[in-house]
Amino acid sequence: MGKVYAVGVGPGSPEYVTDIVKKLIINSDVIAGYKYTLQTIRELLDGKKVYEVTMISQEETYQKIHKELGNNTLLVPFTGDVNFSESEVVDRLVEIFGDVELVPGISSIQVAAAKTRVPLDKSSVITMHVTGSIEEKKKELQKALADKNSVILVPRPWPKKPEYHFMPSEIATYLRENGFDTTNMKVFVFEELTMENETVFEGMVNELEGKEFSALSVMVFDQTVPDSYMNYKWQWKE
């Protein structure tokens, strides 16, 4: 069996694809990924056997590749970082192919944190972009906000199943219905991060109710209190 890689290719702009991932793509024989993800690396795909997969077709495609791969190298690209919101697919790739090497990429979470100057080390990072239940994640969101932590969150788009759809509007309603003063809670919503049509909403959480956002959205609840090293001058004393 040839080598199998699962790699992150960044939020969307080709400029955010790391050099190590570019090198792996160039040296791979077979590429299998979602349409949006393949668009990010399209200039690196010449001469490759490329499979465009969907949620419905991916299992059949991976099984086909497994039978035919031989000693060739397979690379499966993921939008953002392969280690965030992609564990269900990665776990299945390991079940099918055995040894799969993961290579990280730049996540939209990191980009959103940088744009808002909300430090990751003082924030709760939550993804609702999973297939299973998100009830515990909702409680995690409540606790983080109640504890006055900043939160960087990936919502869950599922328009065909409204009961699973949990985008900024639904999140704003959920928080209001659970006792939060959403009129006094600062939030950013980024769409299409790093792309030419990138947009940002900046305002209060209550303003999100009734608004529609792209499936490629990231939310930042900003509750950060600046805390520079000048607050710790005691450490300079001998």
Side-chain angles (χ1 to χ4, degrees):
M1 176 66 68
K3 190 72 176 177
V4 180
Y5 294 95
V7 308
V9 298
S13 169
E15 294 180 351
Y16 280 75
V17 182
T18 64
D19 286 345
I20 189 171
V21 168
K22 288 179 181 177
K23 184 177 179 180
L24 288 172
I25 294 169
I26 291 170
N27 291 326
S28 293
D29 305 294
V30 182
I31 312 290
Y34 289 94
K35 181 178 181 179
Y36 178 82
T37 309
L38 293 175
Q39 283 291 336
T40 302
I41 58 173
R42 62 185 180 276
E43 294 182 358
L44 303 172
L45 299 180
D46 287 348
K48 315 294 180 188
K49 189 168 186 178
V50 179
Y51 293 88
E52 182 181 308
V53 303
T54 65
M55 288 184 66
I56 295 174
S57 70
Q58 60 186 350
E59 176 64 18
E60 180 181 350
T61 302
Y62 296 146
Q63 293 291 355
K64 174 181 172 62
I65 294 171
H66 180 255
K67 293 178 181 178
E68 300 176 353
L69 188 60
N71 291 321
N72 291 320
T73 299
L74 166 65
L75 184 140
V76 182
F78 294 89
T79 295
D81 178 22
V82 67
N83 297 296
F84 189 76
S85 289
E86 303 293 356
S87 61
E88 296 168 352
V89 179
V90 172
D91 287 349
R92 183 57 182 152
L93 290 173
V94 172
E95 289 175 349
I96 296 172
F97 295 99
D99 184 23
V100 177
E101 183 171 335
L102 274 58
V103 181
I106 299 172
S107 171
S108 59
I109 289 295
Q110 295 166 273
V111 178
K115 286 181 174 289
T116 55
R117 292 194 295 275
V118 170
L120 287 172
D121 63 341
K122 297 179 181 178
S123 305
S124 295
V125 178
I126 302 172
T127 178
M128 303 290 182
H129 201 258
V130 296
T131 305
S133 173
I134 58 173
E135 293 308 309
E136 289 302 316
K137 291 179 178 289
K138 289 180 180 180
K139 293 177 184 178
E140 182 182 349
L141 171 61
Q142 285 196 57
K143 184 179 186 307
L145 293 174
D147 289 344
K148 299 302 180 182
N149 292 328
S150 292
V151 175
I152 306 176
L153 182 148
V154 178
R156 179 165 74 175
W158 211 320
K160 293 183 179 180
K161 291 191 175 183
E163 67 274 21
Y164 291 171
H165 197 64
F166 200 59
M167 291 295 283
S169 177
E170 289 75 22
I171 292 169
T173 301
Y174 170 81
L175 291 173
R176 173 175 55 78
E177 291 177 346
N178 280 275
F180 287 87
D181 179 8
T182 56
T183 65
N184 194 35
M185 186 177 290
K186 187 176 181 181
V187 69
F188 297 84
V189 182
F190 294 96
E191 300 176 272
E192 312 284 346
L193 268 170
T194 75
M195 303 297 285
E196 291 182 359
N197 54 341
E198 175 185 315
T199 61
V200 59
F201 167 92
E202 180 179 356
M204 297 300 167
V205 171
N206 69 297
E207 299 175 72
L208 297 177
E209 292 196 41
K211 293 184 181 294
E212 293 186 8
F213 292 89
S214 162
L216 297 171
S217 296
V218 179
M219 301 178 71
V220 179
F221 295 84
D222 183 7
Q223 300 192 112
T224 301
V225 177
D227 186 25
S228 81
Y229 63 74
M230 291 300 291
N231 294 326
Y232 303 93
K233 291 186 287 186
W234 55 265
Q235 66 184 318
W236 305 337
K237 296 178 182 180
E238 295 182 359

